[in-house]
Amino acid sequence: MDDLRTLHRTLDLCLKVGEVLLSSGAGAPDVVATMRALARALGVRHTQVDVTFTSLAMSVQQGLDEPPVVQLRAVTQREIDYEDLTRVDHLVRRAVAGGIDLEEARTELAQIVSSGHARPRWAATIGWGVMCAGVGLQLGGNLVVVLVASLAAICIDRLQVLMTRRRLPGFYQQVAGGVVATALAALGTRLAEPWVHLNASLVVTANIVMLLAGIGFMGAVQDALSGFFVTGGARILEAVLATAGIIAGVSGGLSLSAAIGLEVPRLTLPRFDLVGITAVAVGGAVGAAAFAFASYAPLRTLLPVGVLGGVGIAATETMAHAGFGRTWAVGLSAFVIGLFGYTVGRRFRVPPLVVVVSAVVPMLPGLSIYRGLFLLGDQGGQQVAQGLLAMVTAASVAIALASGVILGEYVAQPVMREARRVEARLAGPRLVGVTRTRRKRRGSTS
């Protein structure tokens, strides 16, 4: 009876760990491998794990003539929370190394999921504002653009928090965010017109990047590439719906602004010279670090994330203007970020997912989406083909970002050999979780 009780408690712990990882954006292969490694470290072998987009299942059969023990857990909450993700990752590593037993692990996990964050919620709202300010600077905006983009991001975040409390689906939250971004940009243009020129297009684009940042492109592509097609398909559908919400909100905001006489001016692209590329790098660094801050990443990661984000977007713009296509430029930069993200994550004791997702935020295709919407909505319909091309470019950039980062992780992890020791059938790079199963002997002095 005690053995059966211990088995149930072990499976319950593994399922709770898997829920935290999956809800924070980790890929299904990482979730499966981590749950199995944790169960094996706690003495439960030959487990079967099934991951879908909304549920987790784990089973084990102790004997050929015995019925399997099965436990299920629903994944109901989805929020980017890199603080809990990092703490759970450290907990799993200690358990696999033999540093804590089952009861200690259960107690610590309960404290992690029940306690609040180290920084208050309003600090995360400020982080989103700073992120949009950085993206506005990256796009070549002046001080007024930076301030209006920051104010719009704060308003969007508070509105989405209220809508989340009312349990409204994410699609409608994205629509509302797009409408608010466009309306505030158009209104700001009209109010600032007597004193200073405000490029409302850059304000809208910065807030599109903010809305895109919360979409789990990375986990969706990782699942699809790793053979978890059910989970990957569900995540891709969620990403498509969220992006469609942004498109609907921004296009609706443009139409509303035009109807009441608040025209949004035509998009002007930032210049490309030494001053321009410096602003791109600084703005990208600020945007990446601020996203990590708003997602509750540990403070020690903000500087390396900012450096990777700034270098990545500067390299992207340089390659794009040198003749590379936008998609290839983004993919190559994402590949380099994936290469260094693994090393940075190990050095600063965080999952590589925290580093790479934050660092690629400045390269999200907000500009392509806005340009496509603007061209598609052009009166006369003379630029529909260019608008469709811009939208296709945005989709290809998103895929290039995720696949480039994952390929970088593949190359950066010669420990794939060690990962197979964790699970012989593991498919995909490790963005979260352990890659070693050696246990320290208790009482050892080494």
Side-chain angles (χ1 to χ4, degrees), residues 102-437:
L102 173 60
E103 295 306 319
E104 292 171 338
R106 286 173 57 85
T107 301
E108 184 172 341
L109 181 62
Q111 293 174 349
I112 291 173
V113 298
S114 62
S115 60
H117 297 100
R119 63 192 72 130
R121 183 62 183 82
W122 60 263
T125 300
I126 299 299
W128 287 114
V130 174
M131 174 195 157
C132 277
V135 175
L137 177 62
Q138 168 194 326
L139 295 172
N142 55 20
L143 180 60
V144 180
V145 168
V146 168
L147 292 177
V148 175
S150 178
L151 176 62
I154 292 173
C155 294
I156 291 172
D157 180 68
R158 298 316 303 173
L159 174 62
Q160 290 188 335
V161 168
L162 292 176
M163 296 178 73
T164 300
R165 292 174 181 171
R166 300 293 188 278
R167 300 183 181 276
L168 290 174
F171 174 81
Y172 300 108
Q173 296 182 28
Q174 297 289 77
V175 172
V179 171
V180 169
T182 310
L184 287 180
L187 180 61
T189 301
R190 176 61 60 86
L191 295 178
E193 188 176 7
W195 299 280
V196 65
H197 171 67
L198 170 62
N199 192 337
S201 297
L202 299 184
V203 174
V204 177
T205 303
N207 285 276
I208 289 176
V209 173
M210 170 197 171
L211 294 170
L212 288 173
I215 301 175
F217 290 110
M218 199 73 63
V221 175
Q222 183 185 3
D223 290 352
L225 293 177
S226 302
F228 289 80
F229 299 113
V230 174
T231 308
R235 280 181 158 176
I236 290 174
L237 179 59
E238 182 191 46
V240 169
L241 280 176
T243 306
I246 299 173
I247 294 172
V250 173
S251 60
L254 290 173
S255 301
L256 177 63
S257 299
I260 61 178
L262 297 176
E263 292 287 347
V264 177
R266 186 174 291 273
L267 175 64
T268 56
L269 298 177
R271 62 182 182 178
F272 184 80
D273 54 19
L274 183 60
V275 176
I277 201 64
T278 301
V280 165
V282 173
V286 172
F291 171 80
F293 179 85
S295 301
Y296 303 104
L299 295 179
R300 62 181 179 273
T301 64
L302 300 188
L303 179 60
V305 164
V307 171
L308 275 179
V311 172
I313 187 61
T316 299
E317 295 299 327
T318 302
M319 286 188 288
H321 284 81
F324 283 82
R326 167 66 59 174
T327 302
W328 274 103
V330 167
L332 290 173
S333 297
F335 172 75
V336 174
I337 288 176
L339 280 176
F340 287 96
Y342 177 72
T343 303
V344 171
R346 287 175 59 89
R347 174 64 179 82
F348 290 89
R349 298 176 57 247
V350 295
L353 182 73
V354 176
V355 177
V356 297
V357 171
S358 302
V360 301
V361 161
M363 292 185 283
L364 289 170
L367 193 62
S368 295
I369 290 178
Y370 179 77
R371 186 168 182 269
L373 288 175
F374 200 94
L375 293 174
L376 288 173
D378 185 54
Q379 293 182 356
Q382 299 177 353
Q383 295 179 310
V384 172
Q386 294 184 13
L388 292 175
L389 178 61
M391 300 300 287
V392 172
T393 300
S396 62
V397 165
I399 296 174
L401 268 179
S403 58
V405 165
I406 293 170
L407 180 60
E409 292 292 331
Y410 266 118
V411 177
Q413 294 185 22
V415 293
M416 285 301 295
R417 176 178 66 249
E418 298 177 6
R420 291 192 183 95
R421 296 176 186 173
V422 177
E423 278 304 326
R425 296 184 180 275
L426 173 63
R430 302 306 308 282
L431 294 177
V432 179
V434 297
T435 57
R436 297 184 181 181
T437 57

Side-chain angles (χ1 to χ4, degrees), residues 65-86:
D65 298 331
E66 297 183 13
V69 177
V70 183
Q71 286 197 16
L72 304 173
R73 190 168 187 87
V75 181
T76 57
Q77 182 178 2
R78 299 190 181 278
E79 179 184 6
I80 299 178
D81 189 338
Y82 290 151
E83 181 181 359
D84 285 356
L85 179 67
T86 301

